[in-house]
């Protein structure tokens, strides 16, 4: 059985944000055994799973990606939507548009240090939509 | 219910190619609610989801990846299959071998600016095979 | 139908390791048609699919990632768990926490050159857990 739901995130600042709690609240009751897919319906924001404890992991990861793909990279030609647009597209493809997370005993079955990051790559990202799919 | 189908792409030049329409044509009628998985059966080509409008997003993304992992990178030892082979393997792992795309109301439920990119990383990629899986 | 199983890998040295055979052995009998998801329950190790033949592909890929995100990168602030920790987190998000692999005719339906890599990014990674999910 497959069920779906679209959720809209609050606007987030540019950077990486731990949204495990927010997602769990939106999901409500989960099946005993199943799989969750989260799919971001945008091309300048992404999802990833990483360390849920020290906030500096998020700022270090974000800063590293900003140095790897700088807003002032001189070779981009797609620049009419702002200097942060083309880097956002590349970061989105390097990270993930969608995540799969197993559901076991009615809970997201991640490791104890794992959390869901929402990665907002634009300076002014507005509200982003995520399509939730649950298999059971 | 799970159904599968293998499709063979036409040969593509090295670079990133928007194949949403080609894939939709191959898929035919979709279930009302479900999930699509596309799995590339190769290690030097990938799939990603990104901006479906300005072709310069594709050329900028491709050019960025070529500068990040250049064909003439001096430290590779796996070079007997050509200078473009080892970079192709790394790009494949940085991008995605498979994609999940939700199906809603009988259509791929992507955002309005999202499209499916086929990433051909070899100079002479020939015809590539994709295994399609649909859950409903 | 969805079934799940948690497996524990033997400890692997830092680097990329071909684990297709190990995973197939753990899986046992597979359904005729289905999908496999492998989900690593850690934030400093990852999975990817790549070339299963020449071991130098694995060492080249690993060495490339080590140069791209060096242990001695001067800008990281999250350093209290060792110089290899923050690079491990970033590599994990660039590669994949989970993989989907189609099952056809009772076998993993990968291309002839494709294999499953386990990527251990820490110097002392210990035993890692993977949650296996199979849809049929």
């Amino acid at each position: 059985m497959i069920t779906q739901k679209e959720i809209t995130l609050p606007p987030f600042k540019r950077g990486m944000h731990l949204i495990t709690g927010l997602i769990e609240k939106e999901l409500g009751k989960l099946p005993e055994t199943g799989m969750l897919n989260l799919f971001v319906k945008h091309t300048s924001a992404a999802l990833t799973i990483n360390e849920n404890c020290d906030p500096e992991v998020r700022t270090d990861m974000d800063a590293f990606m900003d140095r790897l793909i700088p807003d002032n990279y001189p070779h981009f030609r797609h620049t009419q939507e702002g200097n942060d647009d083309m880097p956002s597209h590349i970061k989105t493809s390097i990270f993930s548009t969608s995540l799969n997370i197993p559901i076991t005993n009615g809970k997201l079955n991640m490791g104890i240090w794992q959390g869901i990051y929402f990665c907002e790559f634009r300076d002014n990202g507005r509200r982003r939509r995520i399509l939730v799919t649950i298999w059971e």
Side-chain angles (χ1 to χ4, degrees), chain A:
Chain A
M1 196 171 84
I2 296 179
T3 52
Q4 292 178 334
K5 174 189 181 181
E6 189 172 293
I7 65 181
T8 303
L9 299 181
F12 281 109
K13 284 188 185 170
R14 180 169 170 161
M16 304 204 170
H17 306 274
L18 188 64
I19 60 165
T20 315
L22 185 158
I23 293 293
E24 285 172 336
K25 195 174 170 189
E26 287 279 356
L27 295 177
K29 188 168 161 44
L30 292 171
E32 273 299 292
T33 303
M35 181 65 77
L36 169 71
N37 179 270
L38 300 174
F39 183 93
V40 186
K41 298 181 72 172
H42 304 273
T43 61
S44 53
L47 294 165
T48 191
I49 293 173
N50 223 296
E51 211 253 40
N52 61 13
C53 185
D54 182 359
E56 289 191 338
V57 173
R58 275 134 30 216
T59 49
D60 278 354
M61 191 178 296
D62 190 48
F64 178 85
M65 294 305 290
D66 280 350
R67 284 173 184 271
L68 186 68
I69 314 165
D71 284 5
N72 60 1
Y73 188 77
H75 305 292
F76 290 142
R77 298 174 65 184
H78 174 81
T79 53
Q80 73 277 24
E81 294 174 55
N83 280 346
D84 61 331
D85 190 56
M86 194 59 225
S88 298
H89 291 315
I90 296 175
K91 292 169 187 169
T92 296
S93 282
I94 289 177
F95 283 71
S96 299
T97 292
S98 92
L99 290 182
N100 278 346
I101 303 175
I103 298 167
T104 310
N105 298 327
K107 292 182 187 172
L108 299 184
N109 191 353
M110 293 191 282
I112 193 167
W113 300 110
Q114 288 181 311
I116 304 168
Y117 287 16
F118 176 71
C119 314
E120 175 56 71
F121 297 128
R122 298 302 307 267
D123 288 326
N124 296 294
R126 319 219 177 162
R127 303 192 70 183
R128 304 292 201 165
R129 288 171 301 133
I130 292 180
L131 202 285
V132 176
T133 300
I134 294 173
W135 291 262
E136 63 182 291

